[in-house]
Amino acid sequence: MNLNNDIKKILVTNEQIEARCKELGEQIAIDYEDKKPILLSLLRGSIPFVTTLSKYISIPLEFDYMKASSYHGGTSSTGNVAISVLPASKLEGRHVIIVEDIVDTGFTLSTVVKILKSYNPASIEIASLLDKPSMRKVDDLKIKYNGFVVPAEFVVGYGLDYNELYRQLPYVGVLKEEIYNK
Ligand code: IMP
């Protein structure tokens, strides 16, 4: 079985992702000069993105991780966000960049931002590979560093999964409906 056969169409190629990560990474390096930011990746979907993005951020930075989930196996957000891993670093007074794979309803990130604010960081910004703005249900979310805007379709690849599969695909593609309507 070849996972590529389950993809209806490719929305963002690997070359486009690499080029956009270079632009975003270079911008972050300018914006955070002398600030030693913490790249706080949301597990598990943001790992390929943070790996590519961080290659282009040529200033000192640290990595940390948090785990938040809202899908619980399906293809639509439940709005019920479960946090199961908290950051290990001391965030007080630090500049935090949350790194996410996709912003859909926005429930996950607004919950994460609320939790992180309680640690009194110096600043919090968001970097997301993808944004699905037509699905947004919270209105106070600002994504400072966004890779690509995608339509309201279920996408996989470059970290994004369906039932934990497809994360390793080197591009972002729309999953064939028959896969999740089985
Ligand atoms: P939100 O809380 O609705 O913004 O959802 C954010 C999370 O839902 C992301 O971190 C993803 O894990 C997941 N998600 C949203 N849209 C998609 C998609 O099209 N494919 C795969 N996962 C998605």
Side-chain angles (χ1 to χ4, degrees):
M1 120 168 244
N2 184 329
L3 292 180
N4 294 285
N5 296 333
D6 295 348
I7 304 303
K8 187 162 88 177
K9 67 171 183 273
I10 294 179
L11 287 184
V12 193
T13 65
N14 187 264
E15 292 71 22
Q16 289 172 311
I17 294 171
E18 194 75 35
R20 187 72 183 122
C21 283
K22 182 170 188 292
E23 288 173 354
L24 293 175
E26 289 174 355
Q27 188 60 51
I28 290 172
I30 293 168
D31 296 348
Y32 287 83
E33 174 89 70
D34 299 325
K35 290 189 172 156
K36 198 163 60 159
I38 297 180
L39 291 188
L40 185 57
S41 313
L42 299 192
L43 296 170
R44 304 180 175 100
S46 66
I47 296 301
F49 175 47
V50 77
T51 304
T52 308
L53 177 69
S54 61
K55 286 191 300 184
Y56 297 108
I57 310 177
S58 57
I59 53 164
L61 59 78
E62 295 174 19
F63 286 87
D64 205 342
Y65 303 91
M66 222 176 133
K67 184 156 194 229
S69 17
S70 68
Y71 266 40
H72 310 295
T75 59
S76 61
S77 183
T78 58
N80 206 342
V81 181
I83 307 286
S84 50
V85 178
L86 284 168
S89 342
K90 195 166 162 284
L91 301 183
E92 189 169 350
R94 301 295 304 272
H95 295 276
V96 176
I97 305 172
I98 304 170
V99 183
E100 175 61 308
D101 53 1
I102 188 167
V103 187
D104 186 27
T105 61
F107 287 137
T108 304
L109 276 176
S110 60
T111 305
V112 166
V113 168
K114 209 176 293 164
I115 291 170
L116 293 180
K117 279 186 175 160
S118 71
Y119 293 95
N120 295 318
S123 67
I124 304 177
E125 296 289 357
I126 295 166
S128 183
L129 174 63
L130 305 173
D131 184 13
K132 258 191 219 175
S134 55
M135 298 294 284
R136 197 75 88 254
K137 295 206 173 112
V138 300
D139 45 29
D140 56 344
L141 210 59
K142 191 175 122 266
I143 307 170
K144 185 156 185 194
Y145 305 102
N146 185 55
F148 303 90
V149 171
V150 291
E153 290 184 282
F154 192 74
V155 296
V156 293
Y158 224 83
L160 291 123
D161 75 304
Y162 172 62
N163 282 346
E164 294 304 327
L165 298 178
Y166 306 98
R167 292 192 197 273
Q168 81 273 36
L169 294 179
Y171 53 79
V172 173
V174 179
L175 190 62
K176 289 180 178 165
E177 285 92 3
E178 65 236 45
I179 305 295
Y180 51 83
N181 286 336
K182 263 182 208 162

